[in-house]
Amino acid sequence: AQSVSQHNHHVILSEAASLELGCNYSYGGTVNLFWYVQYPGQHLQLLLKYFSGDPLVKGIKGFEAEFIKSKFSFNLRKPSVQWSDTAEYFCAVIPGYSSASKIIFGSGTRLSIRP
Amino acid sequence: GAGVSQSPRYKVTKRGQDVALRCDPISGHVSLYWYRQALGQGPEFLTYFNYEAQQDKSGLPNDRFSAERPEGSISTLTIQRTEQRDSAMYRCASSPRTSGVSNEQFFGPGTRLTVL
């Protein structure tokens, strides 16, 4: 079945550690890719997005993601995490064949940062 | 308003009761989406509207679920004869343009529904 997979359900890091959250999708053809973040008690917010062009995308708060088409991946990275990055992170896809902006989400990765 | 608002934020109901969840999109946004998020999962698409027209309701799980957006602004998601398995966070999002893959969606805070 077509899906979005996030490999880690819960990641625990110390402050200043580097972060990489994995995301793979199973849709062929054109895709539009997103990472959303939900901080404790807040709304889902867009962290970054890829539609076309440079496969290395920079988002807010020092996050970046790289689209690797051959690997069907869109991993999220940050070189040095802060305690304030504690949140739940969702990878998401809109398949290019979709005529509507139906976002298909992964199951999420909870990130906990130790101060 | 400044963002998407949803009400109520929390709803506890007894099995068999009907519930209505409201979404007020960002002013001027033409598209509105409903998603459902079970505990430990990502949001799942339910339905969406362009203006007042419901474009796709393929994600609604069964005929107890319905949605409307009669004037192309506020939307209501109604669940009839609620069941415990309906317990979830219901999220609404709006976007400034009609369907198109580059169309960013802005999410509201969600309504946490608990069916006892």
Side-chain angles (χ1 to χ4, degrees), chain B residues 65-114:
Chain B
F65 287 72
S66 62
E68 62 175 10
R69 193 187 185 200
E71 297 178 0
S73 179
I74 293 168
S75 176
T76 303
L77 177 71
T78 301
I79 309 172
Q80 296 179 311
R81 306 181 302 282
T82 53
E83 300 178 4
Q84 286 184 325
R85 60 179 171 156
D86 300 333
S87 297
M89 176 73 83
Y90 289 82
R91 297 190 183 276
C92 175
S94 70
S95 62
R97 296 183 297 279
T98 58
S99 60
V101 291
S102 62
N103 205 5
E104 182 174 342
Q105 295 180 27
F106 296 83
F107 283 82
T111 294
R112 169 73 66 190
L113 174 66
T114 303

Side-chain angles (χ1 to χ4, degrees), chain B residues 19-54:
Chain B
V19 294
L21 311 181
R22 173 183 163 129
C23 173
D24 197 344
I26 293 172
S27 178
H29 277 199
V30 301
S31 295
L32 185 148
Y33 302 80
W34 284 100
Y35 294 85
R36 178 172 72 169
Q37 185 176 7
L39 204 59
Q41 300 295 317
E44 288 184 300
F45 171 82
L46 294 177
T47 185
Y48 90 100
F49 296 81
N50 285 342
Y51 301 97
E52 72 282 357
Q54 192 170 19

